[in-house]
Amino acid sequence: MEEAVEETTQESRNEYARNLVWTTFYFDEKTVNTCDVLLTRQFLVDRKLLKKSLATEPVGQDLEAVKAKEELEQEMGKTEKTDSDEKLPTSFGSKKTSRPLPRSWLGWIEKMDSKAYWESINEYLIYKEMDEQGQEELLHKAVKNKPAMILPCHEKLKNHADDFVEIGAKYEDPGQRMEALAKFLERRCHQDFLALWASARTTRCRKYLAKMERLGIATGLDKKKFTVPDDTVTPVIDSDDSDDHGEEAAEEPQASSSVETQPIYDVLYEVYEEGAHLEMKLGAKSERPQAQAQPSVEEAATPVYDMANFSFAYDPEKDAQLLASNACELFHMDKEIRKYWFQRYRLFSRLDQGVLMDREGWFSVTPERIASHIAQRMVTRPGMVIIDGFAGVGGNSIQFALHGAYVIAVDLDPIRLKCAKRNAEVYGVAEHIEFICGDFFHVLSQQRFQSGQSIIDAVFLSPPWGGPSYIFEKEFDIGTGCTPNGFDIFEAARRLTPNIAYFLPRNTKQNQIVHLAGPGGKVEVEQSCLNKKIKTITAYFGNLCQGAAK
């Protein structure tokens, strides 16, 4: 086990992490209904494994293979560690904290509502606006009582002269006239205050969305359409994920999850990395390549098993077509698999020692260096129990076991689970993993998990993302993109433990991750970068997130 861990961490001296942005999302105007999000970036290196993979030359004039190899060769550049500020916000992960109110560009209005503002300036406004006949006494009182904190639109005298003449003409009694004008000023003051605060929130939130886009985060919110209403009760950012694709957007599913997401009211954020040197261009639907007719490679390469007599034991003859080392011959007509063939050792460093993978396993397994890092984050003590809810061919389960955890590996597909079991044997950790073939929801509903007899320390979720085509979407939807529904998966796992690591595409909508954490929650969204290229994100909840109390 120690030897295998060393193989995946031999370049760790060049790896480092950065804290990028800390954000507090407000679900209403109060300061308690919030969610803290820390965006981090983990730089990982597997150039040696990639170099070993690229040693194989493309066959003949295979242009697709040549292109795939060239793209991977671009990742062979040097990755050097630089100094960075690794401090955490004092409120992140702390149960006892004084949360700041949403800020605005005026600063002083952050702790004041429209009612308090009116009480602080009403004498000034009344005195200066009542000076309709140039009375020196009223003008003197207005100047004397001018508050230190006042909106720009209330600075000049006689802002509402025309309105005052119209209102004053209705009343002959000076007392009634003054009362009517005071009520008018109060209403107008309330409107001005809310309009300015809404404008400040709009500006701040749009800047935040633009910053997140430059950092390679799909927010799930449309910056161009975002506006803040004047009413403080109305949410300022809704969860409408509509875009500018016209009729195409109207055809998309109306509900992306089985749970109703709560609108976001405001954001307060602090940027640690102003000049983020690594950016990621999010995909677009227009970039999706046109589908090309391909031979049914999967049917030709994947053996058909008699499930009534299915055996999870490895058979060298029957399972020869699952050997990853033979994939170049087995999938020679499959362009997608050829791309992954040129990075095969970054998927499994021991690939030539008998690792098994079906076709889906090639593009669904977590690269070994990323899986090893996630295991380092999740396994905090020897013997802790981790459920790998969608184990696939076992990439993550193996790393959890290598780092000292006892793993319950669950997968619905018996062939992939057979591969996972064999791969665990190759890495020498099969005795530390319990393999369960079944539906994730059905397995978690078993009495052993519901009665409290089995203590689960953490759950790792990496459900199918619908194939490699997800990368061509600008934003990945957890509800419709994951199979099964990603929100249902998370809710099922949360009934066991709040300590969840959710492995997701790099273009996953951030607002959906925020809603998974919910009001009062905390989540760390970590970008995993291999050789300076953002590959995936992992959302850590509960005690798994950085700064949380263990």
Side-chain angles (χ1 to χ4, degrees), residues 283-430:
K285 293 181 180 179
S286 59
E287 298 175 4
R288 180 189 294 275
Q290 295 183 353
Q292 300 179 1
Q294 296 284 345
S296 182
V297 182
E298 184 174 7
E299 294 181 3
T302 303
V304 178
Y305 289 89
D306 178 8
M307 297 308 301
N309 301 309
F310 188 86
S311 173
F312 286 95
Y314 173 64
D315 188 318
E317 294 184 3
K318 293 182 179 180
D319 299 328
Q321 296 189 62
L322 291 172
L323 274 175
S325 56
N326 296 338
C328 188
E329 299 176 2
L330 297 172
F331 297 98
H332 68 281
M333 295 295 292
D334 193 320
K335 294 181 179 180
E336 285 188 332
I337 300 302
R338 286 205 305 274
K339 171 185 175 181
Y340 292 95
W341 171 256
F342 284 105
Q343 50 182 314
R344 58 193 180 281
Y345 294 113
R346 74 165 11 168
L347 303 181
F348 285 103
S349 59
R350 297 188 176 186
L351 183 134
D352 291 335
Q353 299 180 28
V355 166
L356 302 184
M357 279 196 286
D358 65 345
R359 185 180 186 277
E360 183 174 331
W362 278 94
F363 53 78
S364 63
V365 66
T366 306
E368 187 171 284
R369 189 63 202 96
I370 297 179
S372 177
H373 168 72
I374 294 174
Q376 292 173 16
R377 287 287 309 265
M378 294 186 66
V379 183
T380 57
R381 69 179 188 278
M384 67 180 298
V385 181
I386 296 178
I387 291 183
D388 187 352
F390 300 85
V393 295
N396 291 100
S397 296
I398 290 171
Q399 292 301 321
F400 292 142
L402 285 172
H403 285 79
Y406 180 79
V407 186
I408 300 175
V410 181
D411 202 277
L412 182 62
D413 191 300
I415 296 178
R416 277 193 286 279
L417 202 64
K418 178 189 184 79
C419 294
K421 184 176 182 297
R422 172 57 181 170
N423 296 340
E425 293 171 354
V426 170
Y427 279 80
V429 292

Side-chain angles (χ1 to χ4, degrees), residues 165-172:
V165 171
E166 181 180 350
I167 295 175
K170 297 180 181 179
Y171 301 93
E172 295 182 359

Side-chain angles (χ1 to χ4, degrees), residues 9 75 189 193 326 490 494:
T9 59
E75 296 187 25
C189 173
F193 183 89
N326 296 338
F490 185 84
R494 186 155 57 180

